[in-house]
């Protein structure tokens, strides 16, 4: 029986993870469930999965949860606050930690799991976007195994040779005969929308992703392709890839989830229906396979698989992210923080869809470059960038 901590259990990835566990109850136990403040859903998850611990970041919400569980006669112990969450992520009884808290709030709990040498199922993109080097170094030191959950990175991981799978973060791609890491993306809901209509895009339109069902923030990021930009950064860290070893291709049907090119002309791809339970199940069971509850891919129902080169005029956030990686971790951290603020402002109808990149760009350009040596540096840049982003928003 493997014991899991699910960081972000009440979110989109968290609920999909619980769904995979539900299909394999004799092999996996939800040891601890962790969320932000959704008391009702956390109560229901405790009723269903009987975790040893449940944590909510928000203290008032945690108190309410504890009262609910008491009245239901459930023995789950309730804790709250980031410190307690970090301790759960490093708990000695735990085998695996699903890192699926959204945003910078996921950094410390994920790092805590890495430092404790856990098998870390990495969904939280921000960990690598802001602290790539720190995470890879810590994983090397502690022996933590990083398994990518993000569907593209999981597809790439599956298409790599075992030697590379065993060296996440420092695999010698060229030595293994690999010429390119090919990151695919759907292009989001506005792939064919006339560019002059972009400024009137509403939050409801932006969160309606054609292929994937996801949280609101990441759905907006898919529409701007900032998501692919963050994934580009994630891929460079995970697979130790140079800029020349990266290729980005728009593949609107999201059936191929990413690929690896080899020097002999072979291209290996991972395919499947767009359902996050597949990469989640892959990481949970690795190197074995388990039933994810996902419908088998029916090739005869697929009309076509198409591929398009990304256009940076349509997706300026993608270009911004690629350039930020070259500038350094201060820039990717600042861009990520700015983007969180900008997306929230867009969802609250304070700025237009087309202003998101303006906010992001102005923050990256105005932040003073520093070397990132420890997590405190990241948190410092993150905080500054958020302030700059809020100021920038007032100008739109
Ligand atoms: P979501 O918004 O649906 O869920 C986020 C979870 O984090 C919730 O459980 C929420 O309660 C929790 N949370 C938020 N703030 C918290 C805090 N301060 N302390 C503790 N918990 C907190 O997001 P999601 O779509 O599930 O995405 C989670 C992460 O996985 C993100 O980093 C995202 O980029 C990444 N990811 C998601 C998908 C997807 O398909 N949804 C795919 C790839 C990667
Ligand atoms: Mg993805």
């Amino acid at each position: 029986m493997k014991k899991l901590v699910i960081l972000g259990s009440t979110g989109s990835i968290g609920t999909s993870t619980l769904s995979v566990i539900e299909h394999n109850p004799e092999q996996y136990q939800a040891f601890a469930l962790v969320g932000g403040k959704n008391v009702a859903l956390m109560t229901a998850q405790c009723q269903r999965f009987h975790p040893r611990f449940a944590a909510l970041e928000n203290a008032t919400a945690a108190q309410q949860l504890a009262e609910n569980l008491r009245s239901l006669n459930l023995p789950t112990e309730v804790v709250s606050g980031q410190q307690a969450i970090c301790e759960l992520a490093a708990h000695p009884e735990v085998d695996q930690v699903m890192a699926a808290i959204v945003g910078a709030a996921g950094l410390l709990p994920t790092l805590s799991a890495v430092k404790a040498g856990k098998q870390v199922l990495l969904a939280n993109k921000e960990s690598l976007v802001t602290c790539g080097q720190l995470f890879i170094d810590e994983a090397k030191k502690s022996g933590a195994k990083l398994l990518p959950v993000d569907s593209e990175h999981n597809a790439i991981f599956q298409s790599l040779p075992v030697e590379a799978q065993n060296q996440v973060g420092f695999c010698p791609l060229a030595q293994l005969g690999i010429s390119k890491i090919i990151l695919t993306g759907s292009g989001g809901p506005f792939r064919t929308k006339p560019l002059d209509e972009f400024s009137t895009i509403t939050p409801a339109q932006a969160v309606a992703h054609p292929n994937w069902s996801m949280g609101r923030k990441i759905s907006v990021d898919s529409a701007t392709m900032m998501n692919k930009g963050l994934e580009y950064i994630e891929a460079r860290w995970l697979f130790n890839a140079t800029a020349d070893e990266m290729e980005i291709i728009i593949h609107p049907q999201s059936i191929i989830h990413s690929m690896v090119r080899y020097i002999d002309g072979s291209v290996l791809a991972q395919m499947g229906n767009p359902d996050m339970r597949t990469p989640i199940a892959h990481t949970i069971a690795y190197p074995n396979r388990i039933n994810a509850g996902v419908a088998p891919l029916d090739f005869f129902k697929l009309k076509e698989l198409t591929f398009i080169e990304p256009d940076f005029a349509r997706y300026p956030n993608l270009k911004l992210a690629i350039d930020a990686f070259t500038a350094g971790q201060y820039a990717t951290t600042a861009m990520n923080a700015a983007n969180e603020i900008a997306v929230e402002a867009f969802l609250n109808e304070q700025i237009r869809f087309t202003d998101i990149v303006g906010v992001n760009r102005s923050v990256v350009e105005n932040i003073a470059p520093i070397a990132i040596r420890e997590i405190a540096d990241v948190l410092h840049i993150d905080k500054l960038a958020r302030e700059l982003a809020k100021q920038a928003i007032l100008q739109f």
Side-chain angles (χ1 to χ4, degrees):
M1 195 82 158
K2 276 193 185 163
K3 290 180 182 164
L4 265 101
V5 175
I6 304 179
L7 302 172
S9 71
T10 56
S12 167
I13 293 285
T15 48
S16 293
T17 306
L18 286 170
S19 160
V20 173
I21 291 182
E22 219 162 13
H23 279 88
N24 302 275
E26 62 302 319
Q27 292 183 65
Y28 302 97
Q29 186 207 340
F31 179 81
L33 301 180
V34 175
K37 49 180 187 268
N38 188 339
V39 178
L41 183 53
M42 186 57 92
T43 305
Q45 291 184 342
C46 289
Q47 270 181 293
R48 174 72 191 81
F49 294 95
H50 301 282
R52 179 101 65 86
F53 295 97
L56 289 173
E57 206 267 337
N58 181 284
T60 321
Q63 213 170 1
Q64 183 61 52
L65 174 68
E67 277 168 33
N68 289 358
L69 298 187
R70 241 192 326 272
S71 64
L72 289 163
N73 258 332
L74 290 172
T76 297
E77 191 179 322
V78 177
V79 296
S80 79
Q82 193 165 57
Q83 181 57 33
I85 292 172
C86 288
E87 281 165 23
L88 284 179
H91 195 287
E93 279 184 53
V94 166
D95 303 292
Q96 298 184 322
V97 177
M98 168 57 76
I101 291 175
V102 66
L107 292 184
L108 287 172
T110 308
L111 188 62
S112 169
V114 171
K115 282 185 167 165
K118 302 296 181 195
Q119 205 174 56
V120 180
L121 322 179
L122 194 59
N124 174 279
K125 296 174 202 274
E126 297 78 5
S127 300
L128 290 168
V129 168
T130 64
C131 318
Q133 192 69 61
L134 291 171
F135 269 75
I136 301 296
D137 289 350
E138 287 295 345
K140 226 172 166 177
K141 224 190 299 174
S142 70
K145 183 139 186 82
L146 297 179
L147 294 168
V149 171
D150 207 343
S151 60
E152 294 76 5
H153 306 77
N154 183 267
I156 293 162
F157 182 90
Q158 292 200 45
S159 307
L160 286 171
V162 175
E163 298 94 303
Q165 293 181 343
N166 287 336
Q167 300 178 72
V168 165
F170 47 95
C171 53
L173 290 179
Q175 261 181 50
L176 295 169
I178 294 156
S179 58
K180 298 266 186 198
I181 298 294
I182 306 179
L183 193 59
T184 58
S186 71
F190 310 127
R191 191 175 45 80
T192 56
K193 193 179 183 70
L195 283 181
D196 60 6
E197 291 174 17
F198 269 44
S199 63
T200 59
I201 288 168
T202 65
Q205 290 169 326
V207 299
H209 195 277
N211 305 335
W212 296 93
S213 146
M214 305 183 288
R216 281 161 68 78
K217 193 261 175 185
I218 186 173
S219 296
V220 176
D221 285 348
S222 295
T224 62
M225 273 190 98
M226 173 56 93
N227 185 48
K228 212 49 55 188
L230 298 175
E231 291 181 352
Y232 168 92
I233 297 166
E234 219 185 333
R236 289 201 57 183
W237 285 118
L238 281 172
F239 307 115
N240 192 25
T242 63
D244 284 347
E245 287 169 333
M246 294 294 302
E247 206 174 325
I248 301 176
I249 297 180
I250 294 183
H251 163 48
Q253 297 81 16
S254 301
I255 295 299
I256 292 177
H257 299 139
S258 280
M259 302 180 262
V260 175
R261 256 187 221 284
Y262 289 82
I263 47 172
D264 62 0
S266 301
V267 177
L268 299 194
Q270 185 263 358
M271 291 187 256
N273 284 318
D275 187 322
M276 285 308 292
R277 288 177 300 174
T278 295
I280 290 169
H282 173 264
T283 57
I284 288 181
Y286 179 82
N288 302 315
R289 300 275 176 175
I290 52 172
N291 175 15
V294 176
L297 180 61
D298 184 345
F299 284 95
F300 301 114
K301 287 209 177 116
L302 299 177
K303 281 201 208 78
E304 55 178 5
L305 300 184
T306 55
F307 306 93
I308 307 155
E309 201 177 328
D311 168 10
F312 291 141
R314 183 172 291 274
Y315 304 112
N317 277 292
L318 176 58
K319 179 78 169 70
L320 191 70
I322 293 172
D323 292 345
F325 190 94
T326 310
Q329 276 193 282
Y330 85 90
T332 54
T333 301
M335 182 197 70
N336 173 65
N339 185 59
E340 280 189 30
I341 299 292
V343 169
E344 194 182 294
F346 165 68
L347 286 170
N348 293 335
E349 300 184 32
Q350 286 169 271
I351 58 171
R352 291 171 303 176
F353 184 78
T354 41
D355 296 334
I356 296 173
V357 72
V359 173
N360 294 345
R361 188 177 290 127
S362 100
V363 172
V364 175
E365 282 170 2
N366 287 308
I367 201 122
I370 62 160
I372 302 274
R373 293 203 183 81
E374 52 186 18
I375 199 120
D377 300 328
V378 171
L379 297 176
H380 172 71
I381 290 277
D382 180 89
K383 188 161 170 264
L384 279 182
R386 281 166 204 273
E387 282 159 18
L388 285 175
K390 283 177 190 156
Q391 286 165 22
I393 282 165
L394 299 177
Q395 279 146 39
F396 285 97

